[in-house]
Amino acid sequence: MCWSATADLAAGAGIAAIGIACLVPVRRRRDLPLAALPLLLGVHQVIESAVWRSAGGSGPAVTAWAVIALPLLAVWVPLGVLLAAPPTARRRLWWPAAAGLAVAAVLSGCLAGRPVTAEVRGHTVGYALHLPLPYLLIVGYLFATVGSLVLAGDSLLRLCGAVMASGAVICFLLWRLEFASTWCAFAAVSAVLMLRWVRREPRGPGASGCEASEVR
């Protein structure tokens, strides 16, 4: 796939629509954050279409993209998985949640103190932000996001985590300097698996993670 303003806008709108569809069948409040992940990632791709149209730089669209991609997702994904997980899996899921909170704190500090810039590079976008110990932060970030899905104790969430992990390897090997942009696009497409997750039969208290309280 070649990325462009049009491609990001079309993909983002489609994924956001799927994200809205993911929210309709949700019966448990605890599932809402995770079910909303495709909507968040779809909006994220729409924001990147604005980055394309502004030819990069350091404007509001770039900042909004970075805030979602970096600190917000580092917290949103592991906490969403933790909330939706069965009680038997929650103890091990505190580790990626803690990693996400720590990584998000560092990334938030970096975004607050340093400007993030974007540069259009052919059919990809590269984002630049000076980070301390960048490889350690990347490992912590992937453990928080991908790791939480793999450790969720749910076959569909593990599949989603495995797909995202594979995408991370591919994006790093092919687009090392544009890793953040390309992997977020890959993650957005992978998140459509959430539609199948939320449309399964209602799960009991011991099966998927939440009490059988209905969303009101």
Side-chain angles (χ1 to χ4, degrees):
M1 168 181 178
C2 294
W3 288 272
S4 65
T6 303
D8 269 335
L9 181 60
I15 293 166
I18 292 172
I20 294 172
C22 284
L23 294 175
V24 174
V26 172
R27 290 180 171 85
R28 287 161 287 270
R29 294 183 183 90
R30 288 179 177 271
D31 290 343
L32 283 170
L34 195 55
L37 181 60
L39 176 59
L40 176 63
L41 291 173
V43 171
H44 194 226
Q45 291 304 117
V46 172
I47 291 173
E48 189 167 65
S49 72
V51 175
W52 277 97
R53 296 185 189 283
S54 65
S58 58
V62 175
T63 301
W65 188 95
V67 168
I68 295 174
L70 301 177
L72 183 57
L73 284 177
V75 173
W76 189 294
V77 177
L79 290 185
V81 173
L82 178 64
L83 286 171
T88 54
R90 288 176 192 163
R91 179 174 295 181
R92 64 176 177 266
L93 288 171
W94 278 110
W95 292 104
L101 289 169
V103 168
V106 175
L107 293 174
S108 296
C110 292
L111 286 171
R114 306 176 181 91
V116 58
T117 59
E119 179 185 355
V120 175
R121 300 168 180 165
H123 293 296
T124 59
V125 179
Y127 294 87
L129 176 66
H130 178 70
L131 298 174
L133 303 173
Y135 287 105
L136 181 60
L137 284 175
I138 291 173
V139 170
Y141 182 96
L142 292 176
F143 175 61
T145 54
V146 176
S148 62
L149 291 167
V150 172
L151 295 172
D154 180 285
S155 59
L156 281 175
L157 295 184
R158 283 199 302 267
L159 175 61
C160 188
V163 171
M164 289 186 182
S166 301
V169 173
I170 293 169
C171 291
F172 183 79
L173 293 176
L174 296 181
W175 301 287
R176 184 175 179 181
L177 296 178
E178 299 83 23
F179 172 79
S181 174
T182 53
W183 184 72
C184 282
F186 195 97
V189 174
S190 303
V192 301
L193 289 169
M194 293 295 171
L195 184 59
R196 185 178 172 190
W197 178 70
V198 298
R199 284 186 170 179
R200 290 188 305 191
E201 290 296 320
R203 296 155 300 209
S208 84
C210 332
E211 296 80 2
S213 59
E214 293 186 355
V215 177
R216 301 183 184 274

